[in-house]
Amino acid sequence: MNAGKRNARDAALAGAAVEQSLAADHIPPASRKMLWRERIFKALLIVSLLVGMAVLAILVIDVLSDGLGTLNLSFLTSFPSAFPKNAGIESAITGSLWLMAICAFFVIPVGVAAAIYLEEFADRRRWWNRLIELNIQNLAAVPSIVYGILGLAYLVRGPLDLGRTVLAGGLTLGLLVLPVVVISSREALRAVPGSIREGAMGLGATRWQAIWYQVLPAAIPGISTGAILSLSRAIGETAPLIMVGAATFIAFNPTGLNSAFTALPLQIYNWLSSPQAEFKILAASAIIVLLMMLVAINSVAIIIRNRYEKKW
Amino acid sequence: MSQAGAVKAKADATASVFARSRPRYGELVIRASLVIAALITVLTTVGIVFALASETISFLGEVPLHDFLFGTTWSPLFEPPSYGVIPLVTGTLLTTAIGMIVGIPLGVGSAIYLSEYATSRTRKFFKPILETLAGVPTVVFGYFALTVVTPWLRKIGIEVDAFNALSGGLVIGILIVPTIASISEDALSAVPQGLREASFGLGAGRFQTSLRVVVPAAFSGIIASIVLGASRAIGETMVVLLAAGQRPNLTLDVREPVETMATFIAATGKGDIPTGSLDYKTIFAVGALLFVMTFILNIISTWVVNRYREEYE
């Protein structure tokens, strides 16, 4: 009688203990040694994440403490100069904006169209469609300097012969981020459920009408988030622009597609490779501007994602 | 009317119900332009391969393949010039190796934490940090290597040159952490929950479960992430261009400056060298070697990733 009661109570206690350990998301280890191993392992894992965080923090603090002093309105509205005191980044900012616009004009239509083909039309059983997919996966991992070589050989010189112009730079960056746009747009299209297409086609829409009037509008938030993020990658790229642009001293804003240009990352690189310490400080100021542009662009992407993305 | 004729007539009638009322040429045009857009991606690859191959072949017409691949002196601007690519390759492998020593433990460790330990709250905190790290332009990392890491190495007593392989390699390691972490985390998260529960049920803790059960089950994915990280490290340009110098240097001493393949391409492409000159062709020859190396790594990585995905679906 008494024993039965005690058993029931023990069982209840044990049950509570199990629940507690599950609630704490922690499996009780068998021994003290194991416990310490658990703790050390977990601590090491956290440290590995904290290193990345610390680097970011040190980077930001260092850039701010070096560059904030020389960051003022005249820095933003002056052209590069041989004298650190007069040098600024107006032509670099306008150059970067031109590059971004050209890149967007090229990569968004092409990237989204390629994604629509692969996601909505392509038959995955055909080898050539699988080849296109594999090719895009691989292009996404080709080093950016190789795109610079491509731009130099075919856009700046060779068949297109555009010269060292902002158009050649923007198109090179466009080719560079094209795989990223295709991959993210495909994911956005895939997230639209098949029932939407079937519903539209059941009401008599053709395949393209279903895509254009139903699928694409539903996928636009996802597509634009991916496209904006890829543009932010594009304006941070330096290596391909060194190959394509290379103009070190541009004291004017681009006036058209055939204009010579500089860009923020290029200007930062030029200042960093100068032996004068004053220019390294200017590089830090330019980095602050570049990072602020990236933060602004990415915030737009995040806002679009959070506000408009539908959950099906 | 013969029987066969009747059957055919019936089949035609059935077909006409389902056939389109009229051919839709507009849709065909749209579809064709979508195909063209997809083909632009293929054309990019073809363009890269063709540009590199044609100039490299013409380069090899002037410099024997054996001298290029196995020569140990790289001095294209000296008289007489020497085109042995080995110092550029060792420079690349040296910075890559340092990067991997840093990047693999940090990346895989971050992935294990995010997948096996993190609650949804800590994930929400750490995940954006990795994404931010991935979004920092490489020229900014170059600034960091040059103005923070190199002085700091000197402060702790490592006598590095102003430009050195060590600080470039260390920062490349940080740079590839997000690449390794995100792909490894996908692989770890794809391991079925049942395996973990079985391991806990046998009395294993999280440490044993992570290292003996989950990591081995996701091993191919983790390898794929590391291979892709190595490919990024080999092709990384700005960090080494700014922090590791531009001296072709056949050395394993990490305190000395080295020139990597990507550094050479960028430093040479910067100048206004005439099309068709031997200097111009060297860019493509070195570029071809870089492309082949990263391409092989990328193929291995995508192959492993695609294979492992099929396993768990």
Side-chain angles (χ1 to χ4, degrees):
Chain A
M1 182 62 208
N2 209 1
K5 216 175 180 178
R6 205 167 55 209
N7 277 350
R9 201 184 55 200
D10 283 353
L13 275 178
V18 167
E19 246 168 53
Q20 206 178 18
S21 70
L22 283 180
D25 200 22
H26 177 255
I27 307 300
S31 70
R32 260 196 123 66
K33 198 178 141 202
M34 264 177 80
L35 184 73
W36 276 107
R37 215 161 51 178
E38 290 283 342
R39 283 181 182 162
I40 291 168
F41 184 61
K42 189 175 174 183
L44 285 177
L45 295 182
I46 293 180
V47 165
S48 68
L49 271 167
L50 291 181
V51 170
M53 212 174 102
V55 168
L56 261 185
I58 295 169
L59 179 63
V60 170
I61 292 169
D62 188 72
V63 167
L64 286 178
S65 71
D66 279 3
L68 217 46
T70 43
L71 182 61
N72 51 34
L73 201 62
S74 81
F75 178 70
L76 294 178
T77 56
S78 303
F79 292 117
S81 160
F83 305 101
K85 238 179 22 191
N86 305 333
I89 52 170
E90 182 177 328
S91 53
I93 294 176
T94 52
S96 277
L97 294 177
W98 270 85
L99 286 174
M100 195 161 83
I102 294 166
C103 178
F105 261 102
F106 166 72
V107 78
I108 293 175
V110 173
V112 174
I116 292 175
Y117 171 73
L118 288 171
E119 205 54 40
E120 306 288 336
F121 290 101
D123 180 354
R124 278 217 69 193
R125 283 167 300 180
R126 305 286 181 198
W127 63 267
W128 58 83
N129 289 325
R130 286 206 306 274
L131 187 74
I132 294 177
E133 277 183 28
L134 194 68
N135 171 53
I136 290 171
Q137 269 181 308
N138 271 308
L139 274 181
V142 169
S144 60
I145 187 85
V146 173
Y147 283 95
I149 298 180
L150 178 71
L152 178 67
Y154 284 157
L155 299 177
V156 175
R157 303 175 185 192
L160 288 182
D161 202 16
L162 301 170
R164 295 181 177 276
T165 57
V166 68
L167 178 61
L171 290 178
T172 305
L173 293 179
L175 289 175
L176 173 72
V177 295
L178 180 59
V180 188
V181 175
V182 175
I183 291 169
S184 63
S185 301
R186 284 189 68 182
E187 272 164 19
L189 290 168
R190 206 176 305 146
V192 179
S195 55
I196 300 285
R197 298 173 185 83
E198 286 151 19
M201 280 155 84
L203 290 171
T206 64
R207 213 164 170 184
W208 174 249
Q209 283 167 340
I211 292 168
W212 184 250
Y213 292 106
Q214 301 301 328
V215 179
L216 211 50
I220 274 186
I223 290 175
S224 34
T225 306
I228 293 169
L229 290 179
S230 71
L231 289 182
S232 90
R233 186 177 157 202
I235 66 160
E237 276 293 343
T238 322
L241 293 183
I242 291 180
M243 304 295 290
V244 173
T248 50
F249 197 82
I250 297 290
F252 53 85
N253 295 326
T255 50
L257 293 176
N258 288 323
S259 187
F261 71 105
T262 183
L264 265 177
L266 268 181
Q267 193 60 56
I268 293 166
Y269 164 67
N270 287 331
W271 278 337
L272 279 179
S273 42
S274 139
Q276 275 173 273
E278 288 99 322
F279 280 120
K280 293 210 169 61
I281 290 167
L282 291 184
S285 307
I287 286 176
I288 297 175
V289 176
L290 178 62
L291 291 181
M292 281 187 346
M293 276 171 82
L294 293 178
V295 167
I297 293 170
N298 289 349
S299 317
V300 171
I302 290 167
I303 288 168
I304 290 178
R305 184 165 64 187
N306 291 347
R307 182 171 288 190
Y308 297 104
E309 205 158 48
K310 262 191 222 166
K311 288 272 175 283
W312 299 94
Chain B
M1 201 202 267
S2 73
Q3 209 179 352
V7 169
K8 190 174 178 301
K10 201 179 168 195
D12 282 349
T14 320
S16 74
V17 173
F18 290 106
R20 294 194 190 100
S21 47
R22 57 188 167 81
R24 296 198 169 260
Y25 296 111
E27 298 240 335
L28 281 178
V29 171
I30 288 168
R31 203 173 155 162
S33 45
L34 296 180
V35 171
I36 289 170
L39 285 180
I40 288 181
T41 63
V42 178
L43 218 61
T44 310
T45 308
V46 173
I48 290 172
V49 171
F50 194 75
L52 292 175
S54 61
E55 295 288 340
T56 303
I57 288 167
S58 127
F59 170 82
L60 292 175
E62 296 179 50
V63 178
L65 178 65
H66 185 272
D67 291 1
F68 175 59
L69 284 183
F70 301 108
T72 53
T73 311
W74 182 262
S75 53
L77 300 178
F78 290 178
E79 203 54 54
S82 171
Y83 296 96
V85 81
I86 292 284
L88 297 187
V89 174
T90 56
T92 308
L93 294 182
L94 188 62
T95 51
T96 301
I98 300 167
M100 300 313 284
I101 290 170
V102 175
I104 293 174
L106 293 185
V108 177
S110 302
I112 294 176
Y113 183 81
L114 288 173
S115 149
E116 304 301 309
Y117 283 83
T119 59
S120 63
R121 270 242 310 278
T122 46
R123 272 182 67 85
K124 270 203 185 117
F125 177 71
F126 281 122
K127 209 67 189 169
I129 290 173
L130 283 181
E131 279 163 13
T132 313
L133 208 55
V136 174
T138 53
V139 71
V140 179
F141 276 117
Y143 165 88
F144 181 70
L146 185 69
T147 64
V148 179
V149 177
T150 299
W152 175 78
L153 286 172
R154 284 182 172 163
K155 208 180 276 175
I156 62 169
I158 304 174
E159 290 302 317
V160 290
D161 290 336
F163 298 108
N164 62 86
L166 185 57
S167 76
L170 290 175
V171 173
I172 284 180
I174 298 293
L175 194 88
I176 60 175
V177 165
T179 309
I180 295 182
S182 79
I183 300 174
S184 287
E185 197 211 334
D186 287 347
L188 292 166
S189 308
V191 173
Q193 198 57 31
L195 286 180
R196 290 185 191 90
E197 282 157 9
S199 166
F200 293 146
L202 289 171
R206 245 170 225 282
F207 167 73
Q208 281 176 313
T209 306
S210 301
L211 280 193
R212 304 248 177 97
V213 177
V214 184
V215 168
F219 200 62
S220 53
I222 293 174
I223 292 296
S225 79
I226 291 172
V227 172
L228 200 62
S231 157
R232 270 211 70 183
I234 288 177
E236 173 49 40
T237 312
M238 292 318 295
V239 173
V240 279
L241 184 62
L242 283 167
Q246 288 159 35
R247 189 205 299 167
N249 192 352
L250 187 59
T251 179
L252 286 176
D253 188 342
V254 297
R255 295 168 301 181
E256 286 181 22
V258 293
E259 182 164 51
T260 73
M261 294 187 285
T263 318
F264 169 77
I265 296 168
T268 312
K270 195 166 64 163
D272 214 356
I273 40 174
T275 312
S277 66
L278 191 54
D279 285 338
Y280 184 72
K281 290 172 193 163
T282 55
I283 296 180
F284 291 80
V286 177
L289 195 59
L290 176 66
F291 180 73
V292 167
M293 283 168 82
T294 54
F295 184 74
I296 291 171
L297 292 176
N298 297 343
I299 289 284
I300 293 173
S301 169
T302 37
W303 182 75
V304 172
V305 164
N306 290 345
R307 213 184 123 86
Y308 116 90
R309 253 189 209 148
E310 279 158 24
E311 264 176 44
Y312 282 114
E313 265 170 9

